[in-house]
Amino acid sequence: VQPDYAAAYLMLGKMLLDKEQIIDALESYSKALEINPELVDAQIVLLFNLHYTIHKPADYLAGARKVGRGLGKKVSARFTTWQCDSHPQKLKVGLLSPDLCNHPVGYFLEGLLAHLDYSRIELVAYCSNVKKEDNLTARIKPYFALWRQVADLDDQSAAQLIHSDGVNVLLDLSGYTTHTRFPVFAWKPAPVQATWLGYFASTGVAEMDYILADEHVAPRSEESHFTETVWRLPNSYLCFTPPDVALEIKPLPALSTHQITFGCFNNLVKMNDGVIVLWSRVLLAIPDSHLFLKTKQLNNAEMCEATRQKFAAHGISPDRLLLEGSSPRAELLAAYQRVDIALDPFPYPGGTTSVEPLWMGVPVLTKCGDRFLSHMGESILHNAGLPDWIAKDDDDYVAKAIAHTSNIERLAELHSGLREQVLASPLFDAPRFAKNFEAALWGMWQAKQPALMGEADMK
């Protein structure tokens, strides 16, 4: 009816994403951009969903730069002078995020906030796009000197508020995920800006100075993947907060079921064709093994049937799949008591959904990647003390699955002691992580300060 109507292609792309048809969705968003290349929102969605596909890091970076240029065009005048203290005794740090609540960002943030040295750091929260607050919000609010709600402010007004508050370092905790307010950073409201935790790749925005990482997710050989300067934290760039849930580690399920149950509680959109092929190989290589999938999309009977058909095409009968929909967090964690080994998808592996099974005593089998996001499983398992659970390729993934299930007694021993092991690791050591994080904040500030002072005197 109206073939040049870009909004129709945007809506079609969204509907296709909801049905896990990633390739078709990307084509629809691309069509919208052919019609109107200035649709920055479409560029952002296209960029984010590229993570679910096999692509070259250089292709992603080109897309990120394009988004960065698009955001830059929306800025009438960037800040070039700032109202922050140029020689602070206490570094004022702003956190811009829509996810300061029961959300993976909140789960990784809470433990850190409890151990920061507030004689050296002053925090300001900028809650963006949504006004959701819950019990986690209530627990972390006291750590902030200021709590700003910017959901009702446009980007320029939000940037002006941050600038007026005199923030030294502004942290992005969402990147291009849902409810992002990333355009605010293009105004450069703080003299030092860094992205951390909520995203897993370069932003492509020239005004973003740093990306926080570790040696596993951002090896020095991959510096060219980023427009930002990479600032590496020791050990891990993540530190998880132990769930506030009373759940014991029960004996390994296989001891009583006499079969191996693999599990994955990740978003179903991560389960691309390559993942299905590889997981089918694993199931075929280990007789009587089963795969337990649990995620929100499986509330839908149509999605359950489509999932069964995808595995059936590779020789896996429906009776070897256990499919369940979403649950409250306590029930979700309890479901790991039915899992022997968690399988990590690729190229978009788990974050929270890799650390939670470890806390529940369930080891995770992951695969090496070639960029920040796809290295995440490597970082988590290296820091958990499980490097032998990292496969170098598909064949090694199958071989490790066979090897780790060939000795049930050894697997049961690992299972029983895994929570204690990971709680003592960098993944959960919040006091140590807080010291490293403080050092990073001050380090980034001090590294940029001479250039900033040369650019303009800060008040």
Side-chain angles (χ1 to χ4, degrees):
V1 175
Q2 190 175 338
D4 61 347
Y5 186 37
Y9 286 100
L10 292 178
M11 182 56 69
L12 178 58
K14 182 181 184 305
M15 295 173 69
L16 289 166
L17 285 177
D18 290 343
K19 294 178 70 64
E20 318 304 333
Q21 297 177 28
I22 293 293
I23 301 302
D24 292 339
L26 295 182
E27 289 179 357
S28 190
Y29 279 107
S30 295
K31 182 64 177 177
L33 287 169
E34 286 178 18
I35 297 168
N36 184 356
E38 303 304 315
L39 291 173
V40 178
D41 289 345
Q43 293 173 3
I44 288 174
V45 174
L46 190 65
L47 187 68
F48 178 84
N49 285 283
L50 195 62
H51 291 297
Y52 294 111
T53 69
I54 303 296
H55 63 275
K56 295 178 181 178
D59 292 340
Y60 171 84
L61 186 60
R65 290 183 186 276
K66 184 176 181 181
V67 169
R69 290 192 296 270
L71 295 178
K73 292 177 181 178
K74 293 188 171 187
V75 175
S76 56
R78 292 166 183 77
F79 292 104
T80 56
T81 61
W82 297 274
Q83 299 180 17
C84 57
D85 187 345
S86 59
H87 298 286
Q89 296 299 309
K90 190 184 286 191
L91 198 67
K92 184 175 283 191
V93 179
L95 276 64
L96 178 58
S97 173
D99 302 318
L100 303 177
C101 55
N102 276 297
H103 179 278
V105 166
Y107 302 151
F108 282 98
L109 190 62
E110 185 176 3
L112 165 65
L113 297 182
H115 291 91
L116 286 175
D117 181 354
Y118 290 100
S119 68
R120 302 184 69 233
I121 301 290
E122 178 182 330
L123 296 181
V124 183
Y126 297 99
C127 304
S128 59
N129 269 341
V130 290
K131 298 181 180 180
K132 177 183 177 182
E133 295 192 2
D134 54 29
N135 60 333
L136 191 149
T137 311
R139 292 197 301 270
I140 66 174
K141 260 191 176 183
Y143 298 118
F144 291 84
L146 285 173
W147 189 274
R148 303 288 204 191
Q149 179 57 254
V150 298
D152 293 332
L153 299 181
D154 61 29
D155 295 332
Q156 182 175 1
S157 299
Q160 182 62 60
L161 176 63
I162 295 167
H163 181 268
S164 299
D165 284 338
V167 169
N168 298 97
V169 180
L170 182 63
L171 295 179
D172 156 55
L173 302 186
S174 62
Y176 296 129
T177 59
T178 306
H179 303 303
T180 183
R181 289 296 298 274
F182 206 83
V184 170
F185 286 87
W187 292 83
K188 192 66 171 179
V192 179
Q193 303 190 145
T195 180
W196 170 66
L197 184 58
Y199 200 53
F200 26 72
S202 178
T203 65
V205 173
E207 292 74 23
M208 185 61 72
D209 302 298
Y210 294 101
I211 182 168
L212 288 172
D214 60 45
E215 63 178 344
H216 304 293
V217 293
R220 297 187 185 278
S221 60
E222 296 178 5
E223 296 268 357
S224 62
H225 293 186
F226 307 96
T227 58
E228 305 86 353
T229 298
V230 180
W231 193 282
R232 295 175 181 84
L233 279 77
N235 306 121
S236 173
Y237 86 107
L238 299 172
C239 186
F240 200 65
T241 308
D244 186 20
V245 178
L247 280 173
E248 62 180 11
I249 302 296
K250 293 184 176 181
L252 185 76
L255 293 174
S256 56
T257 62
H258 306 294
Q259 63 186 28
I260 294 295
T261 301
F262 295 104
C264 180
F265 297 176
N266 279 267
N267 190 316
L268 206 63
V269 72
K270 297 181 182 181
M271 201 174 66
N272 55 59
D273 291 344
V275 170
I276 293 171
V277 169
L278 184 54
W279 287 359
S280 297
R281 287 181 59 190
V282 169
L283 292 171
L284 292 172
I286 302 170
D288 300 322
S289 60
H290 289 70
L291 178 60
F292 179 14
L293 301 177
K294 184 175 178 66
T295 189
K296 61 183 179 180
Q297 292 95 341
L298 296 175
N299 292 325
N300 183 290
E302 181 183 348
M303 291 303 298
C304 289
E305 181 56 30
T307 301
R308 294 187 188 98
Q309 290 179 8
K310 288 178 181 179
F311 278 94
H314 299 283
I316 305 302
S317 60
D319 62 308
R320 298 186 69 180
L321 301 178
L322 174 60
L323 307 180
E324 286 188 2
S326 58
S327 297
R329 193 181 187 205
E331 293 177 25
L332 178 76
L333 291 169
Y336 282 113
Q337 294 172 333
R338 293 181 274 159
V339 178
D340 298 295
I341 294 174
L343 298 180
D344 210 9
F346 56 88
Y348 195 146
T352 301
T353 45
S354 290
V355 182
E356 286 180 339
L358 295 176
W359 185 79
M360 287 299 300
V362 180
V364 180
L365 180 59
T366 195
K367 193 173 80 160
C368 288
D370 63 353
R371 70 207 70 178
F372 191 122
L373 173 61
S374 59
H375 288 311
M376 195 177 298
E378 299 165 58
S379 178
I380 289 170
L381 293 183
H382 274 295
N383 281 287
L386 298 172
D388 55 330
W389 288 79
I390 303 170
K392 64 179 183 292
D393 54 31
D394 287 5
D395 290 343
D396 193 35
Y397 195 101
V398 177
K400 287 186 181 296
I402 295 171
H404 288 306
T405 57
S406 63
N407 188 328
I408 297 301
E409 290 73 20
R410 185 173 58 192
L411 185 61
E413 182 180 358
L414 174 63
H415 175 82
S416 64
L418 191 53
R419 177 181 290 180
E420 184 178 354
Q421 177 177 323
V422 298
L423 285 175
S425 77
L427 282 177
F428 284 87
D429 190 344
R432 174 168 57 173
F433 184 78
K435 288 184 174 61
N436 293 336
F437 196 77
E438 285 174 24
L441 293 173
W442 277 100
M444 291 186 295
W445 168 255
Q446 291 163 354
K448 290 290 288 186
Q449 191 183 27
L452 293 167
M453 294 300 289
E455 196 173 300
D457 290 333
M458 290 184 291
K459 298 178 183 179

